[in-house]
Amino acid sequence: MENTYLVVMAGGIGSRFWPFSRTHHPKQFHDVLGVGRSMLQLTVDRFHGICPPQNVFVVTNRDYTDLVQQHLPDLPADQILGEPIGRNTAPCIAYASYRIMKRDPKATIVVTPADHAVMHEEEFRRVIRQAVDAARAHEVLITLGIQPSRPDTGYGYIQFMDDDTSGLAGGLKKVKTFTEKPNLELAKMFVSSGDFLWNSGLFVWRADVIVNAFHQYLSDIAEVFDEGAQQLGTDQEIDFISRAYTRCRNISIDYGVMEKADNVYVLPADFGWSDLGTWDSLHRMGHHDADDNVVDGDALLYDTRECVIKTPLERLVVVQGLEGYIVAEYDNVLLICKRTEEQRVKEFVADVKAKKGAGYN
């Protein structure tokens, strides 16, 4: 356990969850599920017993470091890694991996987004421990793949090889292909084939293995961090990272490393996972009333079915005659939108920014 580390990626804005998720207060700092804990707090909570508190690192935008400290008051400031600008997941993971490897060359690292939901936490912890054991024993890059319950077009998919000739124990499957969000027809084919899993964005690897992978597949980013590795963990770190990020390209770990490397394995899992990326995903994960509504707020509903209603507790909301709608209010914005049209939320955000200014996005 003492060599196991957690890296929580908490820098995104989550614009598909607008108006709840905003630039100044993204969804990872909200109690999205209505359980009294923010997504960031729930994420750190579920790793209790997997790694000690001193091995937990949160990577976030520098604008959000104060929010992280508010939500995780026991987390020391030097375990919050502030990014000067968003550069996608590869630079974020490089920063954390180099920082951890300098402290502990034998580290095994679990990387998780800060805004995902897990319903079966004991099973989650069992799977994570299984992945950590495998990563510690082998030079492999492990991603967790979720057994798909439906042909969802909002997730990436991982195809694994059926004939497991890898010789690796622990249920690991050699990855054959990664596919970005497919259309519905393709998603149906993937699910029916039985050898595709949802890409969870959860990764497990040894620090030396992922750093080697950066050298091999993202050598430009590795070069940047190699030059400044000795400044990490010192009072020169902030200045170094400010310079380093201007030299790092915007690229995901999936595209930059996972899709290219030949030592990538997937561990199939089923622990009630959702990336909670959209309002519709909240409808699937939330607590349903008798009319299939998910309500978080003070609301009276009449003749209303299959809606998501998330409103401030201090405001009484009365809804009549809606079916399949999102009613969401936060701060100075009220959104009323058909659930089937929720993919247009990003379009709404762009229009609002263009027509109303930056105070609403």
Side-chain angles (χ1 to χ4, degrees), residues 72-142:
L72 302 172
D74 295 332
L75 189 72
D78 73 339
Q79 290 171 228
I80 303 171
L81 308 184
E83 298 182 289
I85 44 177
R87 277 290 185 261
N88 214 316
T89 52
C92 161
I93 288 170
Y95 179 10
S97 300
Y98 271 81
R99 173 76 128 74
I100 290 167
M101 189 164 157
K102 185 186 176 192
R103 173 172 145 183
D104 182 358
K106 295 182 178 178
T108 300
I109 302 170
V110 183
V111 179
T112 179
D115 52 2
H116 290 186
V118 168
M119 301 310 285
H120 311 303
E121 298 213 335
E122 281 307 314
E123 174 62 9
F124 172 83
R125 283 189 272 267
R126 186 195 69 76
V127 170
I128 292 292
R129 288 191 179 101
Q130 186 179 341
V132 166
D133 289 345
R136 189 164 284 141
H138 302 283
E139 293 191 7
V140 291
L141 303 170
I142 300 172

Side-chain angles (χ1 to χ4, degrees), residues 274-295:
S274 171
D275 75 348
L276 278 183
T278 63
W279 286 107
D280 204 48
S281 64
L282 179 58
H283 186 263
R284 279 194 298 272
M285 294 293 284
H287 176 73
H288 293 236
D289 68 12
D291 294 310
D292 205 20
N293 300 299
V294 171
V295 181

